[in-house]
Amino acid sequence: MGIFSVQLAARQYEVDFNGHVNNAAYYDWADHVRLEFLRRAGVVPETFMENKVGPVILEAQARYLRELRIGEPVTVTCEPTYGSGRTFTFLHRFIRADGVLATELVKIMGVLDHSTRRLVAEPHRVLRELAARPDLLEPAGITAREQHE
């Protein structure tokens, strides 16, 4: 399974006075791609609401390397990393049509239990339990066998 990605292009209202993509657009695009990544696995907003949990962004940081301009096609990736704690990470790469990496954006996230208002202890397990296709939540290159080891 490869890295999940979505093709986008900057619209006029996402460009600033310098003629390149506004910094806030990168965060919006990353959110869009993350939600599509989860939707692909069958974890939709209604699933979170029914189970009284929800994803939360704890920290987000972008590193801008090259410009993106209006109308320029960009591939936005979504690559999860899960550890043993209460948080997990999504790495988003913004890659121009010429293959140049324009921006990297990292989001540290958790899954909030709505009844306790605390992060769940094992977010990866919770996401897998909610997913119709839990195998699609795994980092690229992880096999079904490695998921259970």
Side-chain angles (χ1 to χ4, degrees):
M1 181 180 341
I3 294 171
F4 183 78
S5 66
V6 172
Q7 297 287 318
L8 300 170
R11 296 162 289 205
Q12 185 274 327
Y13 61 86
E14 295 169 321
V15 176
D16 66 16
F17 290 111
N18 294 313
H20 56 231
V21 173
N22 178 314
N23 66 314
Y26 289 96
Y27 289 87
D28 289 341
W29 291 351
D31 285 344
H32 170 72
V33 174
R34 176 177 45 87
L35 291 173
E36 289 303 314
F37 172 79
L38 292 170
R39 184 181 315 281
R40 169 191 73 152
V43 185
V44 294
E46 295 81 12
T47 306
F48 285 119
M49 292 170 57
E50 290 167 6
N51 289 276
K52 298 181 178 25
V53 296
V56 292
I57 300 168
L58 304 169
E59 184 178 327
Q61 183 174 5
R63 192 166 67 111
Y64 306 103
L65 304 166
R66 298 287 186 272
E67 289 184 305
L68 284 174
R69 296 183 182 191
I70 190 167
E72 187 173 4
V74 61
T75 299
V76 184
T77 68
C78 183
E79 303 171 52
T81 303
Y82 308 100
S84 59
R86 294 178 184 270
T87 63
F88 57 98
T89 302
F90 279 122
L91 168 62
H92 298 280
R93 289 189 174 101
F94 299 76
I95 304 164
R96 297 187 328 197
D98 62 3
V100 171
L101 178 63
T103 300
E104 287 185 327
L105 194 151
V106 176
K107 289 190 176 188
I108 299 172
M109 303 197 53
V111 175
L112 182 71
D113 179 320
H114 291 173
S115 61
T116 64
R117 307 309 290 176
R118 302 278 186 246
L119 296 179
V120 301
E122 299 177 62
H124 187 208
R125 179 188 55 77
V126 170
L127 290 172
R128 287 183 58 79
E129 287 172 358
L130 296 176
R133 294 280 316 273
D135 58 307
L136 297 180
L137 293 172
E138 300 308 316
I142 299 294
T143 65
R145 180 182 201 175
E146 292 170 316
Q147 291 173 25
H148 300 290
E149 291 180 352

